[in-house]
Amino acid sequence: MSTIEHDVLGAEELARSIREKEKELARLRARLEEWEDAYQGTARREGLFTSVSGREVKPLYTPLDSEGSYTERIGVPGAYPFTRGPYGTMYRTRLWTMRQFAGFATAEETNARYHYLLNHGQTGLSVAFDFPTLMGYDGDHPRSLGEVGVCGVAISSLADMETLFRGIPLDQVSVSMTINGPAIILFCFYVAAAERQGVSPEQLRGTVQNDILKEYQAQHAWVYPPEPALRLIVDMFEWCSEHAPKYNPISISGYHIREAGATAGEELAFTLRNGFEYVERGIARGLDVDSFAPRLSFFFDIHNDFFEEIAKLRAARRIWARHLREKYGATSPESWRLRTHCQTAGVTLTAQQPETNIVRVAYQAMAAALGGTQSLHTNSMDETLALPTEKAVRIALRTQQVLAHETGVPNTIDPLAGSYYVENLTDELESEAEAIFAEIEDQGGVVPGIENGWFQRRIAQSAMRQQEEIESGRRVIVGVNEFTEGSGDIEIDTLKIDPSVEERQRERMAALRAERDDVRVTEALEALRRAAEDGRNVVPFILECARAYCTLYEIREAMEKVFGAYKEPVFF
Amino acid sequence: MTDERKIRVLVAKPGLDGHDRGAKVIASSFRDAGFEVIYTGLHQTPEMIVNAAIQEDVDVVAMSILSGAHMTLFPRVKDLLREAGADHILLTGGGIIPEDDAKALEEQGIGKLFGPGTPTSAAVAYIKEWFETQGERV
């Protein structure tokens, strides 16, 4: 057969195949019309058919809703554009890390809780700090009054960090730390604590949240103004890429943006746009994008709307990969790969009939696994009332274990790919995010949008819309505005924090201040202040302060002399 | 008529807790209900809150606390109001406050405290009712 004949035959086959496809499409349209007529003619129940985020959802999706190139939009897991998952084998190689966020009272008590969690099969640790620590205050600072060890653990110096990880080998357990404003300081306490165990920075696996942009936008635990704060983050990128290559120096977080009231689309767009900001700042420092982008990690909220949350994670991976490759010129697939932690949505928990929260959390956890998360925190049922009890935490952890080992969900990678609905939602969330990126540019970028309150107002408006939906009864929340029989009495035990914690932390601080070498403390702090002033990378200087047992607030203050403090634009 | 006057409310976030979703939602709801609303912004000390309450001549201070520090912060603000001779101001609030704690605080002269899942209308109704009975007393 000659080449020409082959081509002619090929063309005929092609034409036949196109005709077949057209016929099939015509049949689909006809069936769909019939169905639509029947649907319109049938009574429908009262109910809200929009997603939690206010998205219009159709009653039926078909191939007409999921068009475009399969290989360009969906592809295979572990390869560009990563829609189906960041790794090629996903949960076939390794289940997600079950990582419960925990911390309360002093380092002593929290260390005991960590041993408890590790003994019950948890595979990573996640530190919750108290509010004073989150804001860079020591446990004995007057502003800390009443809040020491209440919402998390109080860590005021390297001494506390050493106690926190006593008996826990930091070369083997990966640790995530939720801290932002003073993140660089707590990171240095951690590196120095590892040093004391004989573990070098190269061996450290773990993450520090260190995402200051979402603090200004949503969670509000800041210290310095945006520009110096961003500089500190780039210092961390630079230092870690050289000395701690397995450590994630940031976890770019949508969680708090969502919890503060944003919709799924806003969470997705704000988070990724914040991520691009960090990339741009790193590049502006002169860093090679491929030297730090592979260690950028993410953190998303998993709310009630099952499919929307799954689609959100899929869209996030695709958008990140596209922008990193096309816009920022990253050439390493490691830079395109979005890896994420997820947490079930605290804001969906109800104080009424708290046991029902176990069920909410289980559905949300399943959405996180179907969305392809790398690690997961499942909330405990009692968290609208207090910090969780051991029993409540154990149930939350067991929820993940049932999901991982009994449901079969982890057996197939991205099993919802090809669902007309899920693919359509993924596409829609991607377009929504792109539209929001354009709006942020209209504000002049992320930092101007924070300074003029655009992000904060937008989040507050979305929160208000959701509140109105619930109060009008249109959005049913079981046990809150419907099915409220038994909602009056809350009959579960809650964790009480011993009020002596504050006193004990003050005593620990007094002992520390008495024992340490004051000359070394003063010199280390002064060297840090000068480094901050001279624009040098401050990580080695903070490390030296940590080793000298300077306290958190002393280190914060040394840099504040140079950077100033952030003032919030107030409005509602 | 006394109730022609608008009710003035200071919505305050004491302590280091930055979770202001509730504070902002309640501030908007109070405004929609016709109250005059002043919002302090975050990270206020009890002293800052009491100063603002007096300067703004408010009828009500509504504090939002999700940090677990309510047993320290509510009594502290109440004491400072008393010391400043401003005990006529209603101190109320909401957040993550276990029932037993709310009861204990009410016994110390603090107003009703609202937990998660409370409709904003309940807080509005409570303040209106308090204000009306207050008016009768004056």
Side-chain angles (χ1 to χ4, degrees):
Chain A
M1 210 192 286
S2 77
T3 330
I4 294 166
E5 276 170 338
H6 183 85
D7 275 354
V8 169
L9 204 67
E12 265 176 25
E13 259 175 32
L14 195 65
R16 195 162 51 237
S17 136
I18 289 171
R19 275 198 305 279
E20 277 305 313
K21 270 197 185 131
E22 276 171 359
K23 273 190 214 159
E24 171 65 10
L25 220 56
R27 280 196 295 268
L28 170 59
R29 290 211 173 88
R31 290 284 165 81
L32 206 54
E33 232 167 80
E34 287 169 25
W35 172 84
E36 179 77 25
D37 287 345
Y39 179 78
Q40 293 304 341
T42 310
R44 288 184 293 278
R45 69 181 166 86
E46 287 276 314
L48 198 56
F49 296 113
T50 56
S51 78
V52 173
S53 296
R55 181 184 311 284
E56 290 296 331
V57 177
K58 297 202 291 182
L60 187 73
Y61 289 79
T62 71
L64 296 177
D65 298 297
S66 170
E67 290 174 309
S69 158
Y70 175 85
T71 49
E72 275 175 28
R73 295 185 308 127
I74 305 167
V76 294
Y80 190 86
F82 295 98
T83 311
R84 303 204 62 178
Y87 298 108
T89 55
M90 291 297 287
Y91 306 141
R92 283 270 173 146
T93 297
R94 230 182 74 154
L95 286 166
W96 62 88
T97 303
M98 298 177 192
R99 195 192 293 281
Q100 297 295 103
F101 183 47
F104 61 100
T106 66
E108 205 92 27
E109 280 103 331
T110 300
N111 175 263
R113 175 68 71 96
Y114 289 167
H115 282 285
Y116 174 89
L117 287 168
L118 291 170
N119 291 338
H120 279 80
Q122 178 165 301
T123 48
L125 293 176
S126 176
V127 186
F129 296 101
D130 67 359
F131 277 110
T133 308
L134 290 173
M135 292 295 294
Y137 291 106
D138 294 340
D140 59 356
H141 192 282
R143 295 267 343 217
S144 303
L145 185 71
E147 302 194 57
V148 178
V150 176
C151 255
V153 60
I155 300 292
S156 311
S157 76
L158 169 60
D160 293 336
M161 195 65 100
E162 289 171 54
T163 307
L164 188 65
F165 294 111
R166 199 167 47 210
I168 297 168
L170 293 178
D171 54 341
Q172 287 163 44
V173 177
S174 81
V175 178
S176 167
M177 297 194 292
T178 296
I179 187 116
N180 298 276
I184 196 165
I185 307 172
L186 274 295
F187 169 73
C188 288
F189 288 169
Y190 180 73
V191 171
E195 256 173 28
R196 297 283 142 101
Q197 290 189 2
V199 174
S200 70
E202 298 89 75
Q203 294 170 280
L204 294 176
R205 290 182 304 120
T207 308
V208 61
Q209 197 164 77
N210 201 24
D211 171 10
I212 198 66
L213 293 170
K214 67 94 175 51
E215 291 298 325
Y216 303 127
Q217 292 159 348
Q219 175 156 268
H220 310 324
W222 48 61
V223 176
Y224 308 115
E227 289 305 325
L230 285 164
R231 169 199 154 177
L232 292 178
I233 290 169
V234 180
D235 280 1
M236 291 266 298
F237 290 174
E238 194 174 37
W239 193 86
C240 286
S241 72
E242 206 175 314
H243 301 279
K246 286 190 280 183
Y247 193 85
N248 302 313
I250 195 166
S251 170
I252 305 157
S253 305
Y255 188 83
H256 322 85
I257 294 171
R258 186 67 179 280
E259 291 287 299
T263 64
E266 287 163 346
E267 176 195 3
L268 178 68
F270 294 0
T271 308
L272 293 175
R273 182 59 186 81
N274 288 347
F276 301 149
E277 189 70 22
Y278 296 121
V279 168
E280 289 173 17
R281 300 287 176 147
I283 293 172
R285 172 77 63 97
L287 305 179
D288 171 8
V289 65
D290 288 316
S291 78
F292 69 91
R295 298 319 301 175
L296 305 179
S297 64
F298 286 82
F299 173 23
F300 287 102
D301 194 271
I302 301 295
H303 211 283
N304 275 338
D305 202 290
F306 193 72
F307 294 107
E308 195 173 49
E309 296 303 298
I310 295 165
K312 182 182 76 187
L313 295 184
R314 300 175 82 245
R317 287 191 291 266
R318 186 157 79 202
I319 299 168
W320 184 252
R322 286 222 169 116
H323 281 254
L324 265 285
R325 191 173 85 168
E326 308 301 333
K327 188 168 177 197
Y328 299 109
T331 54
S332 162
E334 297 293 323
S335 301
W336 308 334
R337 188 200 310 275
L338 180 149
R339 299 163 301 129
T340 191
H341 172 66
C342 286
Q343 180 172 341
T344 59
V347 77
T348 65
L349 301 180
T350 62
Q352 296 72 19
Q353 305 184 40
E355 293 91 340
T356 313
N357 291 327
I358 299 172
V359 183
R360 291 189 179 95
V361 167
Y363 288 133
Q364 293 164 5
M366 187 178 272
L370 290 170
T373 192
Q374 279 54 69
S375 60
L376 180 62
H377 167 104
T378 34
N379 290 324
S380 301
M381 61 170 166
D382 53 355
E383 289 188 69
T384 55
L385 306 166
L387 293 193
T389 60
E390 280 194 359
K391 183 180 176 190
V393 173
R394 192 171 60 232
I395 293 170
L397 180 59
R398 294 287 181 256
T399 303
Q400 293 199 41
Q401 289 160 339
V402 168
L403 175 62
H405 301 289
E406 296 184 16
T407 64
V409 160
N411 292 347
T412 297
I413 302 166
D414 190 25
L416 292 179
S419 148
Y420 307 124
Y421 178 36
V422 170
E423 293 300 354
N424 176 277
L425 265 178
T426 307
D427 294 348
E428 227 180 67
L429 277 156
E430 184 179 13
S431 331
E432 190 183 339
E434 291 291 345
I436 296 175
F437 296 158
E439 284 185 69
I440 296 169
E441 291 326 294
D442 289 344
Q443 297 302 316
V446 174
V447 172
I450 287 165
E451 286 168 346
N452 73 24
W454 182 85
F455 287 101
Q456 299 92 312
R457 271 194 302 274
R458 181 134 178 181
I459 291 168
Q461 280 158 9
S462 292
M464 202 59 202
R465 184 192 56 76
Q466 290 166 62
Q467 184 70 22
E468 280 160 5
E469 240 177 42
I470 293 168
E471 290 199 14
S472 67
R474 278 177 296 136
R475 172 80 57 200
V476 171
I477 305 292
V478 174
V480 173
N481 60 5
E482 260 213 78
F483 316 111
T484 52
E485 183 69 28
S487 289
D489 27 271
I490 295 164
E491 285 174 352
I492 57 170
D493 293 329
T494 54
L495 182 81
K496 297 259 185 293
I497 303 293
D498 179 352
S500 75
V501 165
E502 199 153 316
E503 193 45 47
R504 278 187 284 137
Q505 185 65 8
R506 267 200 291 269
E507 283 163 13
R508 280 171 69 95
M509 297 298 294
L512 178 91
R513 289 183 206 277
E515 281 166 26
R516 62 188 186 169
D517 175 351
D518 286 338
V519 176
R520 192 176 169 196
V521 165
T522 315
E523 281 173 3
L525 290 170
E526 176 53 20
L528 169 61
R529 192 196 58 74
R530 275 201 309 272
E533 207 166 60
D534 298 345
R536 299 169 68 183
N537 190 317
V538 293
V539 174
F541 297 91
I542 301 177
L543 264 175
E544 184 46 34
C545 291
R547 293 181 193 118
Y549 292 98
C550 300
T551 69
L552 171 61
Y553 186 71
E554 287 167 344
I555 301 173
R556 170 197 150 136
E557 214 184 12
M559 290 191 282
E560 200 170 320
K561 285 176 189 155
V562 180
F563 298 151
Y566 181 64
K567 283 264 173 288
E568 173 202 15
V570 177
F571 58 85
F572 67 92
Chain B
M1 259 170 71
T2 46
D3 57 355
E4 284 292 306
R5 186 170 73 78
K6 279 194 172 184
I7 305 173
R8 289 174 66 80
V9 183
L10 181 77
V11 174
K13 277 293 295 179
L16 301 172
D17 163 29
H19 294 84
D20 62 355
R21 178 179 183 158
K24 285 184 171 172
V25 163
I26 202 78
S28 299
S29 303
F30 285 165
R31 190 174 50 194
D32 293 348
F35 300 173
E36 276 179 29
V37 182
I38 300 115
Y39 172 51
T40 59
L42 292 165
H43 308 144
Q44 303 290 300
T45 62
E47 290 78 7
M48 288 154 90
I49 290 167
V50 171
N51 284 341
I54 290 165
Q55 269 175 22
E56 296 286 351
D57 190 24
V58 297
D59 303 295
V60 179
V61 173
M63 300 208 298
S64 166
I65 305 181
L66 287 80
S67 67
H70 48 271
M71 295 310 280
T72 311
L73 295 169
F74 274 107
R76 180 89 189 113
V77 171
K78 185 75 189 164
D79 287 348
L80 289 171
L81 283 171
R82 263 189 213 120
E83 282 169 27
D87 207 19
H88 59 280
I89 294 175
L90 171 67
L91 177 61
T92 176
I96 310 275
I97 298 164
E99 253 173 65
D100 292 350
D101 291 353
K103 267 182 218 146
L105 290 169
E106 276 172 44
E107 278 162 22
Q108 296 176 37
I110 285 145
K112 208 168 155 57
L113 301 179
F114 298 90
T118 312
T120 54
S121 54
V124 168
Y126 167 70
I127 288 177
K128 279 188 173 161
E129 203 184 306
W130 171 85
F131 189 72
E132 277 160 24
T133 54
Q134 219 28 35
E136 281 163 20
R137 238 182 289 155
V138 169

